Amino acid sequence: MLRIPFLLLVVSAAHAATPVFQALFDNPQQTWAVDRGSAVLDSSVLREGHKSIRLEAGATSQDACVRLAPVNLTIGKRYELSGWVRTEDLAVRDLDRTPIAIGATLAMASMPFDVHAASLGGTEPWTRVSLKFVASRSQDQILLTAGEGGSFRGKAWFEGVHLDGIPSSEEEWPARDAIQTFGPAYRYPAAGWIYLHIEGEPYERGYQHGHLMSREIPEYLTRCAAVLGSKDHWDDYRTTANALFLRGFDRELLEEMRGIADGASDAGARWKGRRIDLVDIVVANTTVEMGELASAAAATPTGLEGLSLDVPPYSDPRRNSAKDHCSAFAATGPATRDGKMVIGHVTWWPLALAEQTNVMLDIKPASGHRLLLQSYPGGIESGTDWYQNDAGVVLTETTIDQTPFNPGGTPVAFRARMAIQYSKNIDDVVRILSAQNNGLYTNEWIMGDAKTNEIAIFDLGTNHTKLWRSSKNEWFGNTPGFYWGDNNAKDLDVRLETYPDPRGDPDFIPYVPSRRDMAWQQLYNQYRGQIDEQFGFLAFRSAPLVAVSTMDAKVVTADMATHMMVWAEIGRPNQREWLPDKRYDFAGDDGLYPSGYYLFDAQPDQTLRASIEQNEKMRMAGSAAPETPAVSASNKPYYNNRVWKGWVLPASDGDTWFVAGSAAYYRVLQSNNVNEAMNAQRAVWRSLQVSAPTPLDQYRREQARGVLFLDSLRQKMGDEAFLNLMNDYFRAHTTKTVTADSFLEQAGLTRVSAHLNEIDPPDGPTYLVNDIWRRLPSAVIVYGTLRDAGANRYAAEQLQHKFLNAYESAVPIYKDFEVSDDLLRHHQVVFVGRPEANSALALWSAPLGLDFQGAAFKINGDVHASERQALVFAAENPLDRACMVLVIAGNDALSTVKAQDTELTADQYILFRDGDSPVKGFLDRDTSSTQRALAGK
């Protein structure tokens, strides 16, 4: 792959790096262990005179993994893991749809399976790979892997593995342009999430929330209406929320919700043509509970219980019960690797709500604990019930069968929020959750305290409860050190609450293990004493603990909880897409496309704090303005009524340039933007100059020659004289066979003075994004596996399907690490995924003229850092100018998927903007010249 020298990068980074660990395979005392596959020291393959370690698949393992000696790290500090990798005939194969197998690479033992350095495949020389990360463990281990997630054949060598402490820098995410501020509050996108920090008194922090989420809040209200029934019945939902729930919140949270409504409305948000108010926000925060009212009513005694009232045979006795909503676990003591707490949770949720339950809400209230929770636009609570606080308390749950409704109780949205904000231990959590319980959204709560590593599970019915605590050595199912939840209540008294009528239909009420219960117990038995983060990552990518409606994953250890950190993924945590079913789902659903795990840290580092401060100063000074695409001054609609009419025929092939060129130039002058249309024509000319001619290309070349000549003639003569010339000529010759010389003569020119063979447009693009349709026979698709792997794969497959319909042959798909220079050299290459997600595109970024910083890109000097934006971009193949490159790169997983479906037009780039019209155009001339110069190197 067009390898870019790393020497300058390594030298410049070395000055600021602090060495932590170096693997010397020459040293016989170096400690390493083989987890899977085969690994040996290889003195025959050296790098700079040093022995390497060679990995191959073993007799009993399909992949390979070597674990180096433990290293001590500082939690929250940044590090860079780097090393040199070489491969020989390394071919990787996926064993199933999930996970997506990768090549030879480096990772840390604490990391999810989809977080790793760039991987290598095929046969590649020594190549440096690296991964920058924030430590989430105080002691970790470096992993050398090949074929992780699948199987492989071939060989991989590793040498020069380093781990260095590094300072924070502006190259880290979030980029400054991606951060929006409002006073002390800020937000930024990350891996499909929106991280939102608010602080202060209740109304103040609510106002911050509303202001920064003013676009998303009306969108979420629309989703709430769809889940509850219809937007047309919103007033009914308001009445229900006002009558049953609003007064169940205390003054603090009512002020916060009022602030959200006012902040959003003052920022321009409107709902049903009016300002958003407090009751609208209450509906959003109690939508889940309102959805359980019917189930609760069925479980609530009416006074008729015990009577012999026969049900008609045509009735349906099934209750609308909230089941199969979550899977969760908590482990500690004898069950875990270090004896400390580990907690994880996935949500099974309606797609309409799931798509926007992607807010990682960081609240620093004036009173109580700082808290971190998964939430949604306008949320003061979690909804999916994932909570952490700065006292090290973690709270989550799985829903169980709905118990009776207590009209005098308070909403779970209020009690859960109060529990995490004002609890310092498990006793506090249980007390607050239990107080004035209205019974709705009945849950089996799982909780832990990082200070003591105590965990607990709490079945909370309306009138009955059951608490198991690790501190009292209370275990259900003979699993010391381990609790699990999967929507199957464990306590008999709580289960009995769902059967209000003693003369109801017979049923077996005691606990019976489900498939998921058995899966949890099997995993516990397999990993007892070794449970850590990896246990959670494995469980949440394995059926039946993950399923069709799984929308997320969160995993936290005691050390992470103490530092308010969490590994989180939005989308199925097994790299599979969740597509909307148009028969049943909300019409506005887009689907969920996996972004991969992301490590959130509530403590901003020095660079992030500096960016927040600078952006807020700019906002207060009025220097920050929303992006508005420039409208070209060259739009001249008055051409429409002044151009010539009629058609002519060429007398010979030598006259094609004029006849075809005048017809094409007519369409140029009819376009909305003459400059952009001419840029497209110049690109056609350039592309034809570098490709081998075909009969069709010969015609297109003559047509482009004519367009460029006529445009040059117009520029010289001026609009008025040129249009008079064309109109006079076509009035006299329409429907006739003509020669180009007759036109030149009328223009006062000859073939010599016209310089027809000296067409030389200025520097600019060679290809347009829609050129790919003419080049499919030699195209390949390359998708990124570094980030958004599942979404990138899906987008690549969708492109392949579209191309199949146009070309009637499948365009090959490759993973980024599978391609080489030889494979790409004479192909049209379609890259899917931005450079940080696609290692093959990252190597070509500079030659292509791309300017990406993480999940943000720059076009013509403007930075585009919104998660709703994507870039579709055409350029020359740096290895062969006769071939093109098409880049489809979203700032997040969803924008990449949506961008692949955008219409490809005669432009150098398309700026996709979800919810807005795309912006299309060409790079400024200086930028385009730089791109061509780099591509020629």
Side-chain angles (χ1 to χ4, degrees), residues 611-764:
S611 296
I612 293 167
E613 182 178 347
Q614 186 175 359
N615 284 7
E616 182 59 14
K617 286 180 179 178
M618 293 175 62
R619 188 188 70 84
M620 293 299 291
S623 57
E627 295 177 357
T628 52
V631 178
S632 172
S634 62
N635 290 354
K636 296 187 177 180
Y638 61 82
Y639 281 137
N640 291 346
N641 299 320
R642 303 174 63 198
V643 291
W644 58 97
K645 299 291 184 182
W647 50 268
V648 293
L649 299 173
S652 68
D653 289 346
D655 304 306
T656 298
W657 70 265
F658 170 69
V659 175
S662 61
Y665 194 54
Y666 169 88
R667 292 190 292 272
V668 167
L669 295 182
Q670 290 278 68
S671 67
N672 291 329
N673 191 313
V674 172
N675 279 351
E676 300 289 75
M678 281 306 303
N679 281 334
Q681 291 292 327
R682 296 182 187 107
V684 170
W685 175 261
R686 296 187 198 99
S687 68
L688 293 169
Q689 298 305 106
V690 299
S691 60
T694 66
L696 176 59
D697 288 343
Q698 183 61 36
Y699 164 76
R700 294 178 66 225
R701 181 179 286 110
E702 291 304 302
Q703 181 185 59
R705 185 195 306 277
V707 170
L708 296 179
F709 170 76
L710 291 173
D711 188 66
S712 174
L713 185 62
R714 179 178 67 86
Q715 301 289 345
K716 293 174 183 177
M717 296 179 64
D719 285 351
E720 192 70 27
F722 174 78
L723 292 173
N724 287 338
L725 168 66
M726 297 299 289
N727 277 293
D728 290 346
Y729 185 85
F730 272 82
R731 270 194 297 268
H733 298 89
T734 187
T735 73
K736 298 179 181 179
T737 299
V738 300
T739 64
D741 288 340
S742 66
F743 172 75
L744 293 175
E745 181 180 352
Q746 189 161 330
L749 299 169
T750 66
R751 285 183 178 265
V752 175
S753 63
H755 303 292
L756 287 172
N757 293 321
E758 300 176 17
I759 300 296
D760 186 23
D763 282 344

Side-chain angles (χ1 to χ4, degrees), residues 232-537:
D232 294 337
H233 297 291
W234 188 257
D235 286 344
D236 296 333
Y237 311 143
R238 284 170 55 87
T239 299
T240 302
N242 198 340
L244 296 182
F245 302 119
L246 187 148
R247 289 154 189 85
F249 292 92
D250 69 355
R251 177 175 175 177
E252 178 181 3
L253 293 190
L254 287 174
E255 286 185 13
E256 187 173 327
M257 286 190 281
R258 172 63 184 271
I260 292 172
D262 290 351
S265 295
D266 289 350
R270 293 295 182 268
W271 172 241
K272 294 178 68 68
R274 57 169 174 77
R275 287 175 61 89
I276 297 169
D277 65 15
L278 169 64
V279 180
D280 295 321
I281 301 301
V282 172
V283 173
N285 280 276
T286 56
T287 290
V288 173
E289 290 178 75
M290 275 196 269
E292 298 305 309
L293 280 171
S295 299
T300 304
T302 64
L304 297 177
E305 290 75 25
L307 300 181
S308 297
L309 303 174
D310 294 331
V311 178
Y314 50 81
S315 72
D316 183 353
R318 292 174 297 176
R319 291 191 297 272
N320 178 22
S321 176
K323 295 213 44 168
D324 290 345
H325 276 180
C326 309
S327 294
F329 76 93
T332 194
T336 60
R337 178 181 56 82
D338 57 6
K340 296 182 179 180
M341 174 189 83
V342 183
I343 296 181
H345 177 268
V346 293
T347 312
W348 299 16
W349 210 234
L351 183 58
L353 298 183
E355 290 186 9
Q356 280 197 286
T357 310
N358 66 335
V359 178
M360 193 58 70
L361 181 55
D362 168 15
I363 306 176
K364 188 177 181 181
S367 62
H369 295 286
R370 184 173 182 176
L371 49 150
L372 187 66
L373 58 145
Q374 179 181 6
S375 191
Y376 45 86
I380 53 91
E381 54 95 39
S382 174
T384 60
D385 289 328
W386 178 265
Y387 298 95
Q388 300 172 234
N389 71 19
D390 61 9
V393 175
V394 179
L395 176 64
T396 190
E397 51 81 6
T398 71
T399 311
I400 55 179
D401 279 350
Q402 182 59 57
T403 55
F405 175 46
N406 171 20
T410 60
V412 67
F414 166 70
R415 289 177 285 112
R417 167 61 186 273
M418 289 293 99
I420 201 64
Q421 185 171 338
Y422 290 102
S423 292
K424 62 181 181 297
N425 53 40
I426 287 174
D427 290 314
D428 290 343
V429 172
V430 171
R431 174 177 52 81
I432 297 173
L433 282 177
S434 303
Q436 291 184 280
N437 176 16
N438 71 358
L440 290 178
Y441 200 55
T442 310
N443 291 314
E444 185 170 75
W445 294 91
I446 291 177
M447 60 198 78
D449 184 348
K451 298 185 296 300
T452 62
N453 291 301
E454 182 184 13
I455 60 174
I457 188 167
F458 183 40
D459 280 16
L460 177 58
T462 306
N463 302 304
H464 297 86
T465 66
K466 175 63 176 179
L467 177 66
W468 292 266
R469 301 181 72 149
S470 63
S471 61
K472 295 184 178 181
N473 203 31
E474 298 169 332
W475 309 105
F476 183 90
N478 193 29
T479 56
F482 187 74
Y483 298 127
W484 75 94
D486 50 27
N487 315 115
N488 192 3
K490 298 174 176 62
D491 180 67
L492 178 60
D493 288 335
V494 172
R495 297 176 72 91
L496 284 168
E497 287 196 62
T498 66
Y499 292 83
D501 190 350
R503 298 183 64 85
D505 292 341
D507 199 358
F508 187 81
I509 301 175
Y511 170 87
V512 175
S514 67
R515 288 181 63 231
R516 283 191 289 156
D517 289 308
M518 291 187 289
W520 277 125
Q521 293 181 67
Q522 181 179 355
L523 284 170
Y524 166 80
N525 289 328
Q526 184 176 355
Y527 292 99
R528 178 181 178 179
Q530 297 298 319
I531 292 176
D532 57 12
E533 313 98 310
Q534 293 300 325
F535 176 89
F537 304 143

